[in-house]
Amino acid sequence: MVPSFLSLSFSSLGLWASGLILVLGFLKLIHLLLRRQTLAKAMDKFPGPPTHWLFGHALEIQETGSLDKVVSWAHQFPYAHPLWFGQFIGFLNIYEPDYAKAVYSRGDPKAPDVYDFFLQWIGRGLLVLEGPKWLQHRKLLTPGFHYDVLKPYVAVFTESTRIMLDKWEEKAREGKSFDIFCDVGHMALNTLMKCTFGRGDTGLGHSTIMTSSTGSPHMAAASCGPARWPMTIQVIRERKAALQDEKVRKKIQNRRHLDFLDILLGARDEDDIKLSDADLRAEVDTFMFEGHDTTTSGISWFLYCMALYPEHQHRCREEVREILGDQDFFQWDDLGKMTYLTMCIKESFRLYPPVPQVYRQLSKPVTFVDGRSLPAGSLISMHIYALHRNSAVWPDPEVFDSLRFSTENASKRHPFAFMPFSAGPRNCIGQQFAMSEMKVVTAMCLLRFEFSLDPSRLPIKMPQLVLRSKNGFHLHLKPLGPGSGK
């Protein structure tokens, strides 16, 4: 039996704990209310669509077709408008090149309200770092994406793609459409594993980090996509230990290509400081995370566009056949010759940007081209999808027109009108890697197959962290037979 004085002590302790929780909750509520007042005051110069008293704009943009809803708002409210996720998180949603330049030509950090969620999966890598540490990591990682490093990866892209295409040959024999998305995802994952660790996919679990159309991230089971790699730190330690052996070190240096981990392990800044194990893991996980789903999305939407516009598909295929000639595989120099294919890839990126929306928090005030301004601390949503369909920038924005990206037309356009890899100092460090992979994979796909739509199962746009399709990408594939470039 508990003595009465102990019962009294426990009761008092419970009351104190309850009181403390109530006080902390009240203080948190006050903080949120003050923050909302500050955000609302900062954006009161920008008219926008009406908000729900509790959910803000979240309900409207969660609905199917939410991307097109934002495009319609962009027509109604030129330059920008407030965008509220609930009552306490408000962004200025921008989709105009001069507005984009005002923010993205600077180095403002990612908005923690969105990106801090991903820390548990990717750690503090380039995606979320800011300030001097971000600059240090950026300098250390940049040599890893030099074209001399990327050149040998063409063979890696080719090998992984052939495995996927052989699988598609078998599926195509059934004469039915099938969803290409997961196969593309596994190919992209296998490629990244080889380029990062020098090994292919060895049976990792497949679950992916996704975000809802409100931009709020959540974890969901999926059949194609990586979570944070539990084996990364183990591989880093094994590789570091192996490099202590001079014979092993020479063998690695003499390989036909260095993988991403080798490059990071050898990286030093001007003060001879190298990345810690935690930093190494964060950067490797970030590279895997950012390079997988985005590439999968880009390739899938491109092949959908080729099926939707057969005249462009035919012209791309003929260009690729002419470049390949009697060769059995592509070489690095061939990628620069893929002029029309590259224009079509960029046009598919315009219509279906792999990352449709990115976020920043202003580290200092900004004044926009029309004189309106925002104070430091304000949150910015760069709506890339709406920017790419802004009719004031892109005539007939819903039309697939590859010639928008001819040298002549591109030179006349605002440098911040096209942002599939973001822009400015915090642009995607791996964009050259991604474009090289896109060219090899899509060229090989077009050589092996003719793609056509399944009219009964057209993709439904679904904006998560990357632009996916709610019902997959169901296409008919017709093998082109011998001499097609296999």
Side-chain angles (χ1 to χ4, degrees):
M1 187 172 179
V2 179
S4 58
F5 73 89
L6 285 180
S7 298
L8 184 61
S9 298
F10 287 143
S11 176
S12 300
L13 185 62
L15 288 173
W16 274 105
S18 299
L20 181 61
I21 291 171
L22 286 173
V23 170
L24 291 175
F26 179 74
L27 291 175
K28 179 65 174 178
L29 178 61
I30 294 296
H31 171 75
L32 289 173
L33 289 171
L34 289 174
R35 181 188 175 187
R36 189 199 188 287
Q37 185 179 25
T38 301
L39 288 171
K41 184 178 180 181
M43 293 190 290
D44 64 4
K45 309 180 194 72
F46 302 88
T51 62
H52 186 275
W53 69 272
L54 178 61
F55 300 109
H57 299 107
L59 289 180
E60 281 191 89
I61 62 175
Q62 274 183 329
E63 298 171 357
T64 300
S66 63
L67 290 170
D68 297 316
K69 168 64 73 174
V70 176
V71 171
S72 72
W73 286 340
H75 288 303
Q76 188 177 355
F77 306 102
Y79 298 104
H81 67 77
L83 186 64
W84 288 92
F85 300 142
Q87 281 297 301
F88 299 112
I89 301 180
F91 293 83
L92 182 67
N93 194 40
I94 65 176
Y95 32 75
E96 194 276 335
D98 282 317
Y99 264 54
K101 180 181 178 181
V103 175
Y104 284 80
S105 60
R106 317 183 330 176
D108 296 274
K110 299 292 179 70
D113 296 78
V114 175
Y115 294 97
D116 277 2
F117 173 84
F118 298 107
L119 294 179
Q120 57 188 308
W121 283 280
I122 64 173
R124 291 193 174 276
L126 275 183
L127 180 66
V128 295
L129 283 175
E130 58 181 282
K133 190 163 185 179
W134 171 84
L135 184 60
Q136 180 204 33
H137 281 223
R138 181 83 180 198
K139 288 180 178 178
L140 288 173
L141 268 63
T142 296
F145 297 96
H146 190 273
Y147 72 91
D148 283 336
V149 175
L150 298 179
K151 280 181 180 180
Y153 288 166
V154 172
V156 179
F157 302 152
T158 300
E159 180 185 16
S160 296
T161 305
R162 277 182 174 159
I163 294 171
M164 178 182 73
L165 298 182
D166 289 342
K167 186 187 299 185
W168 284 359
E169 288 272 4
E170 296 178 13
K171 292 184 178 182
R173 291 193 192 107
E174 299 179 12
K176 301 177 182 178
S177 69
F178 59 89
D179 184 5
I180 66 168
F181 185 79
C182 283
D183 289 336
V184 174
H186 291 150
M187 179 276 301
L189 173 59
N190 201 33
T191 295
L192 279 173
M193 292 292 288
K194 292 172 183 174
C195 293
T196 306
F197 302 115
R199 64 179 71 173
D201 181 6
T202 54
L204 293 171
H206 300 295
S207 61
T208 187
I209 300 168
M210 299 187 293
T211 55
S212 68
S213 54
T214 65
S216 303
H218 63 279
M219 195 72 181
S223 60
C224 40
R228 193 169 192 202
W229 315 98
M231 41 68 76
T232 302
I233 195 71
Q234 177 186 347
V235 174
I236 290 171
R237 288 171 178 166
E238 290 174 354
R239 185 70 60 84
K240 288 180 75 173
L243 287 171
Q244 301 303 312
D245 187 310
E246 187 176 351
K247 290 182 179 179
V248 174
R249 188 164 60 249
K250 287 183 178 179
K251 183 179 179 181
I252 289 174
Q253 291 171 347
N254 291 329
R255 283 194 314 222
R256 62 179 179 173
H257 72 270
L258 293 176
D259 55 49
F260 188 58
L261 181 54
D262 292 329
I263 293 166
L264 292 185
L265 286 169
R268 301 284 192 281
D269 66 12
E270 57 269 19
D271 297 320
D272 202 36
I273 296 174
K274 60 183 180 179
L275 296 172
S276 68
D277 283 0
D279 288 339
L280 284 167
R281 183 184 184 188
E283 295 303 351
V284 168
D285 286 346
T286 298
F287 178 57
M288 298 291 290
F289 173 74
E290 290 199 84
H292 174 256
D293 278 350
T294 52
T295 302
T296 304
S297 171
I299 292 170
S300 299
W301 283 110
F302 172 82
L303 293 177
Y304 163 71
C305 287
M306 292 295 95
L308 185 59
Y309 304 107
E311 66 277 15
H312 294 288
Q313 179 181 169
H314 174 75
R315 186 166 172 181
C316 286
R317 183 179 294 111
E318 290 306 305
E319 177 186 68
V320 170
R321 281 175 173 165
E322 184 176 342
I323 292 168
L324 189 63
D326 296 329
Q327 296 175 182
D328 293 328
F329 53 86
F330 293 108
Q331 300 180 34
W332 174 261
D333 291 343
D334 294 327
L335 305 189
K337 302 173 186 176
M338 298 177 180
T339 307
Y340 197 78
L341 177 68
T342 301
M343 291 194 295
C344 286
I345 290 173
K346 289 181 177 181
E347 179 67 345
S348 73
F349 279 167
R350 183 187 69 82
L351 287 167
Y352 305 102
V355 179
Q357 197 170 2
V358 291
Y359 307 88
R360 293 284 190 271
Q361 181 168 22
L362 298 183
S363 56
K364 57 184 179 181
V366 64
T367 299
F368 295 108
V369 65
D370 57 1
R372 293 184 290 186
S373 61
L374 284 176
S378 300
L379 302 176
I380 299 289
S381 159
M382 177 67 239
H383 208 286
I384 297 172
Y385 183 92
L387 170 70
H388 287 182
R389 293 176 185 244
N390 186 334
S391 58
V393 181
W394 306 92
D396 300 318
E398 302 298 325
V399 174
F400 187 98
D401 180 5
S402 60
L403 293 180
R404 298 180 199 273
F405 293 95
S406 67
T407 302
E408 180 183 0
N409 289 333
S411 66
K412 300 174 184 176
R413 196 160 44 241
H414 195 294
F416 284 80
F418 181 62
M419 294 176 56
F421 297 104
S422 191
R426 291 193 70 119
N427 66 349
C428 175
I429 194 173
Q431 60 183 286
Q432 185 64 36
F433 178 96
M435 281 300 295
S436 300
E437 183 179 5
M438 282 283 299
K439 291 179 186 182
V440 173
V441 174
T442 57
M444 292 181 66
C445 288
L446 294 175
L447 287 174
R448 287 277 290 272
F449 298 98
E450 180 181 291
F451 295 84
S452 58
L453 299 176
D454 181 344
S456 67
R457 308 180 80 174
L458 298 177
I460 300 171
K461 291 172 292 190
M462 183 170 64
Q464 298 178 335
L465 180 64
V466 300
L467 183 58
R468 299 164 65 98
S469 168
K470 187 175 183 180
N471 59 335
F473 295 82
H474 290 83
L475 301 177
H476 288 283
L477 275 64
K478 178 184 175 183
L480 296 176
S484 61
K486 182 175 178 180

